[in-house]
Amino acid sequence: MANATDDAADRWSDLMAGALRRGGVRMIAHVPDEVTSHLLQRLSADPAFTVVSCTREEEGVAVLAGGYLGGQKGALILQGSGVGNSLNALASLAVAYQLPMLLLVSERGRLGEFNPVQVPFGRALPRILDALGIQFFSISAPEEIDAVVGGASELAFSGLVPVALGLSTRLTGGKTLK
Amino acid sequence: MTRLEAIRRMLPLLGGAAVISNLGRNTYDLYAAGDRPQNFYMWGAMGCAVSVGLGLALARPALRVVVLDGDGSLLMNLGALATVAACRPPNLVEVLFDNGAYETTGGQPTHTTRGADLAAIARGAGIERVATASDLEGFARAIERALRDEGPWFVLARVEQATSFARAPRRPISVRDRFIDAIGPA
């Protein structure tokens, strides 16, 4: 049943899917996630996108690296905690071989977090990405999506680097305890 | 059968197929057997070769994609087999050289020497086309079939441990550029 939360999720998800398409993204790798479920439904229903559901985030980095070798630009959609599962492939494949991709990171351990074990990695995430030389831009309102995703696509695919976009809990509402 | 012998036997069968080689001895032996621009040599991201092959196969359905993988590496990323099975790319061929050892790090035994059966794991993950070979003739037959018939394929080749002294140049950006040029635009 639709409610105000679903309407908000639909709105930012529509904007995000459109911005990814305009940014040239055609391959999506993801690990299933409640916060990005509306976005993933849209991307899966759109024949412009090849969507790969992965068992682990590092797989997603590698799938997108292979997709890029084949001429398709890609985005990985993952939780912040999943970045920890993807670090070796990000470093030794995406960064080392200059295989660009967008990382759409739904924030954990940040504003509104209810689970204490999510906090250490969420707190460290910006510095971990920074240590790898991966630029990180946070999106906190639907109005920012077009400009940030468009700019990040240009930066990633022209600069041949992975670029991380943080989906702030202010944008998504975050994950709530049920 | 050694891995180098098997790769030498395989190369003339490949035509223009792309090859993704796992870090360590698969990359060394592929380079020693025959450097070609359609070879993508990995130097890191242990366990990820099959996933790179999956992404390439999905992006390029008209291209055969062969992954040369090792037992130690694949054991690190077994979930990737389930992802391959779920995506069902007909043009992907995963070649798993099982020597029962982490050869690149000094030959320590892997769990395939203690009961893990990677062919059974591939089947269990949902990959229907599984072949095994322990001699060169059987391996060549399996590769010919995997290059011809729809996959995804999982070809397990049991190989001896054999020290390889070949070293491919560690030039990731050059390898990337040459590979992209060789397989051409989508």
Side-chain angles (χ1 to χ4, degrees):
Chain A
M1 201 194 311
N3 57 38
T5 310
D6 283 335
D7 288 347
D10 284 340
R11 178 163 180 243
W12 76 257
S13 298
D14 278 339
L15 291 165
M16 183 63 74
L20 289 170
R21 196 186 307 104
R22 283 190 296 283
V25 169
R26 290 296 174 267
M27 186 173 280
I28 302 290
H30 70 97
V31 172
D33 179 19
E34 180 186 358
V35 170
T36 51
S37 61
H38 290 243
L39 173 60
L40 288 166
Q41 280 167 17
R42 269 160 187 66
L43 296 168
S44 299
D46 185 339
F49 293 102
T50 300
V51 178
V52 181
S53 177
C54 297
T55 64
R56 182 179 162 86
E57 292 79 359
E58 190 175 35
E59 255 189 89
V61 173
V63 165
L64 296 182
Y68 183 82
L69 289 173
Q72 282 196 358
K73 296 169 181 168
L76 175 61
I77 301 178
L78 72 172
Q79 279 195 27
S81 49
V83 175
N85 289 342
S86 69
L87 287 173
N88 189 42
L90 277 176
S92 66
L93 197 52
V95 174
Y97 285 83
Q98 295 184 0
L99 297 167
M101 61 191 66
L102 297 181
L103 311 173
L104 268 57
V105 183
S106 61
E107 293 186 342
R108 294 303 308 267
R110 310 271 286 173
L111 292 173
E113 181 60 60
F114 63 86
N115 182 349
V117 309
Q118 289 282 351
V119 175
F121 196 83
R123 193 170 52 208
L125 177 62
R127 282 173 291 151
I128 289 172
L129 290 171
D130 187 55
L132 283 172
I134 298 174
Q135 294 197 66
F136 178 75
F137 305 94
S138 193
I139 303 175
S140 54
E143 298 72 34
E144 299 170 11
I145 287 175
D146 253 3
V148 177
V149 175
S153 300
E154 187 67 40
L155 173 64
F157 299 115
S158 296
L160 304 179
V161 290
V163 173
L165 300 178
L167 307 179
S168 161
T169 54
R170 284 168 289 173
L171 175 74
T172 65
K175 185 175 168 68
T176 49
L177 185 59
K178 286 184 178 133
Chain B
M1 169 167 66
T2 67
R3 184 182 40 238
L4 182 58
E5 288 168 349
I7 296 174
R8 282 190 171 133
R9 185 64 198 267
M10 180 188 73
L11 276 181
L13 306 174
L14 285 179
V19 181
I20 309 291
S21 61
N22 179 50
L23 85 174
R25 302 300 162 101
N26 278 286
T27 277
Y28 300 162
D29 282 352
L30 176 62
Y31 182 80
D35 184 35
R36 57 203 273 285
Q38 300 94 337
N39 294 351
F40 185 79
Y41 303 110
M42 289 179 66
W43 292 109
M46 185 167 174
C48 287
V50 64
S51 304
V52 174
L54 172 62
L56 177 60
L58 292 173
R60 299 295 295 274
L63 180 72
R64 279 283 157 166
V65 177
V66 177
V67 177
L68 305 184
D69 214 341
D71 49 321
S73 287
L74 186 60
L75 284 165
M76 201 177 262
N77 193 21
L78 289 175
L81 294 177
T83 305
V84 166
C87 294
R88 299 190 178 280
N91 53 331
L92 179 64
V93 182
E94 160 84 352
V95 178
L96 195 285
F97 289 116
D98 186 353
N99 64 1
Y102 293 99
E103 198 177 318
T104 307
T105 61
Q108 302 89 345
T110 70
H111 290 347
T112 67
T113 66
R114 302 170 177 126
D117 178 346
L118 287 169
I121 289 169
R123 276 192 206 94
I127 297 176
E128 293 166 9
R129 304 277 197 162
V130 176
T132 58
S134 46
D135 60 56
L136 279 174
E137 285 315 306
F139 179 69
R141 277 196 302 277
I143 291 296
E144 280 172 338
R145 202 168 157 218
L147 290 169
R148 185 185 63 226
D149 295 351
E150 283 204 352
W153 279 90
F154 185 90
V155 178
L156 188 146
R158 290 192 184 84
V159 294
E160 305 154 26
Q161 283 191 54
T163 304
S164 171
F165 295 102
R167 293 291 183 271
R170 290 188 187 88
R171 298 167 63 194
I173 311 299
S174 305
V175 164
R176 182 198 83 125
D177 288 343
R178 189 178 72 153
F179 180 87
I180 289 173
D181 288 345
I183 65 168

